[in-house]
Amino acid sequence: MRDPAVLDAQDALGYLRQRFQLPDNTVYLDGNSLGVLPAAVPARLERLLREEWGRDLISSWNRHDWIGMPISVGEKIAALVGAGPGQVLCCDSISLNLFKLLTTALQLRPGRSVILSQRDNFPTDLYLAEGISDLLGDARCTLRSVPLEQLAGAMNSEVAVLMLTQVNFRDGSLHDMQALTRAAHAQGILVLWDLAHSAGVLPIQLDAWEVDMAVGCGYKFLNGGPGAPAFVYLAERHQNQVSQPLSGWLGHAQPFAFEPGYRPAPGIRRYLAGTPGILGMAALDTALDCFEGVSMAALRAKSLALSSCFIEGIEEDLTAGELCLLTPRDGARRGSHVALSHPHAWGVSQALIEAGVIVDFREPDVVRFGFAPLYNSFADVACAVDRLRHILASALYRDARFRQRPQVT
């Protein structure tokens, strides 16, 4: 492995690490599940609690434009995913936003009832599609999930929408979003992309690639905090054609008219539903400022450099032991986390955490190392490699204390 001190000295993005509060004596490689706390967020929340909520109370909806935050935060996210104005809204969770968009897609493609997805797509996406099918009945909605290699052949005139996650949550493999979107459109199929593991680390061009719909979360690489609000993208060409079914009051054309009937707001605003959580929205809003002055291309280049160094560092262990690399070696085909399988993956992950390297585990046998280029360093990579190799060589993962599993794994 190359000298991490030299690589860090040459890192043009190394200064960004100062924008975050990183705990001492800890290597954090779990930003693909929960991003690190941005240094500016505590002061922002303190000000909101003391001055906005504490002093100005309900007047803050106007005085501090709380009411406009789903739009203004959405526009910040839009700049990171290649979307023009008026197409991204920050609100709710990925699950709720999937429900809104999948039902929108079914309405936009009357006569088509199939939601097509990849069999190993993120489970919540599939669960939502199953729930819609149960609600509407098979005649109006059916989920069809197929292996990756069968996706192209499954695109036909029955399919209303193709729903895929750009980066696979288990193995870190990366879809060619532009090519798959183009292939689906050739069959008259709308495309909905889940950007949970790619927003904030990959150069995404939703408008240029003619994507129809997308969702993403705020708590992973966007660093918005636990349970941060998600976002929804709907291309302008599809707006105002149908109404999404979660017709809450903030999606009304005039929310404070309190009319007895529902009139949807124009544009992306109709995808609002209930009152936004301002504390979480403010944290995400501030966290997004960490991207100021940084190009997504530069972040992608550093992400690939970090993960490549990690793979190089464990090369001997991949060829000599039970460790197996699940993530593609080809950088063009992987996202920003590296997944390794091992028969004792749970024990390996817990031994790493005890050693100060925070990673995560996914069933049945996967340890994931997430590389966040905003704050991870090459020294982090070297430390993770060193401690992983020690754990494997000593079989420390077999220790009895690493067998118990808590509720969150």
Side-chain angles (χ1 to χ4, degrees):
M1 181 177 171
R2 290 165 286 178
D3 186 341
V6 173
L7 293 174
D8 281 330
Q10 297 172 343
D11 179 15
L13 301 183
Y15 72 97
L16 296 171
R17 188 176 173 95
Q18 301 172 7
R19 297 181 179 180
F20 296 87
Q21 289 188 9
L22 290 155
D24 295 334
N25 304 314
T26 300
V27 171
Y28 192 74
L29 299 181
D30 208 352
N32 55 313
S33 282
L34 176 66
V36 165
L37 174 65
V41 166
R44 173 70 179 97
L45 292 182
E46 182 182 358
R47 185 170 68 254
L48 187 150
L49 293 172
R50 185 180 64 252
E51 300 175 9
E52 298 177 24
W53 182 11
R55 183 192 65 203
D56 296 334
L57 294 166
I58 199 169
S59 68
S60 291
W61 285 103
N62 291 316
R63 182 173 296 181
H64 300 288
D65 196 30
W66 286 357
I67 197 68
M69 289 185 76
I71 296 291
S72 62
V73 178
E75 294 298 343
K76 284 188 177 183
I77 296 171
L80 302 179
V81 295
Q87 299 177 106
V88 177
L89 189 68
C90 183
C91 61
D92 300 321
S93 65
I94 280 185
S95 297
L96 290 176
N97 290 334
L98 279 170
F99 185 87
K100 299 171 192 175
L101 290 182
L102 287 172
T103 51
T104 292
L106 290 168
Q107 293 177 77
L108 289 173
R109 289 294 182 268
R112 297 180 179 226
S113 60
V114 174
I115 298 172
L116 176 63
S117 191
Q118 186 176 337
R119 186 164 294 166
D120 62 346
N121 197 3
F122 192 69
T124 195
D125 297 25
L126 301 178
Y127 300 161
L128 258 294
E130 289 175 2
I132 294 172
S133 179
D134 291 341
L135 178 67
L136 299 180
D138 290 345
R140 296 178 63 191
C141 177
T142 302
L143 171 64
R144 185 177 300 163
S145 56
V146 300
L148 173 61
E149 62 274 12
Q150 295 180 19
L151 270 179
M155 296 184 196
N156 56 40
S157 60
E158 296 178 332
V159 179
V161 57
L162 172 66
M163 175 182 65
L164 294 172
T165 302
Q166 188 183 13
V167 176
N168 185 280
F169 81 105
R170 276 201 178 90
D171 63 21
S173 59
L174 172 66
H175 277 306
D176 186 333
M177 182 188 293
Q178 187 175 18
L180 281 166
T181 299
R182 187 184 301 118
H185 285 173
Q187 300 295 325
I189 299 169
L190 298 170
V191 186
L192 193 170
W193 286 98
D194 184 335
L195 308 178
H197 286 89
S198 49
V201 284
L202 287 173
I204 300 167
Q205 296 296 326
L206 293 178
D207 286 352
W209 297 342
E210 299 185 331
V211 170
D212 301 294
M213 307 168 176
V215 296
C217 70
Y219 53 82
K220 297 184 192 300
F221 290 116
L222 297 184
N223 308 297
F231 65 90
V232 58
Y233 163 87
L234 182 65
E236 186 177 18
R237 63 186 178 277
H238 297 308
Q239 295 178 12
N240 302 320
Q241 296 187 43
V242 299
S243 294
Q244 60 96 1
L246 297 182
S247 47
W249 76 302
L250 280 190
H252 192 281
Q254 291 183 286
F256 291 91
F258 299 110
E259 299 172 357
Y262 184 76
R263 289 187 295 119
I268 195 68
R269 276 189 53 237
R270 72 177 54 183
Y271 286 81
L272 285 171
T275 306
I278 295 303
L279 294 176
M281 193 79 71
L284 176 57
D285 182 39
T286 304
L288 290 168
D289 292 338
C290 292
F291 290 89
E292 185 177 353
V294 186
S295 75
M296 294 310 303
L299 287 173
R300 173 61 169 163
K302 181 177 177 181
S303 164
L304 288 174
L306 290 168
S307 57
S308 294
C309 282
F310 178 76
I311 294 170
E312 291 171 9
I314 61 168
E315 196 67 55
E316 291 183 19
D317 302 277
L318 292 172
T319 57
E322 298 176 300
L323 200 66
C324 178
L325 177 66
L326 302 180
T327 305
R329 290 179 181 272
D330 179 3
R333 296 181 52 239
R334 69 172 182 262
S336 203
H337 71 266
V338 173
L340 305 175
S341 68
H342 190 277
H344 299 275
W346 171 254
V348 171
S349 69
Q350 298 312 290
L352 280 166
I353 292 170
E354 184 180 83
V357 178
I358 310 300
V359 296
D360 68 8
F361 164 83
R362 287 294 176 264
E363 294 285 0
D365 60 355
V366 179
V367 185
R368 301 190 308 176
F369 298 76
F371 298 97
L374 281 173
Y375 52 79
N376 281 137
S377 66
F378 292 94
D380 289 341
V381 174
C383 182
V385 167
D386 180 66
R387 294 180 187 178
L388 174 60
R389 298 191 71 182
H390 169 71
I391 289 166
L392 294 175
S394 64
L396 183 61
Y397 53 80
R398 294 182 180 273
D399 195 284
R401 68 183 185 278
F402 299 135
R403 293 176 189 167
Q404 185 174 358
R405 300 193 185 188
Q407 184 175 358
V408 177
T409 61

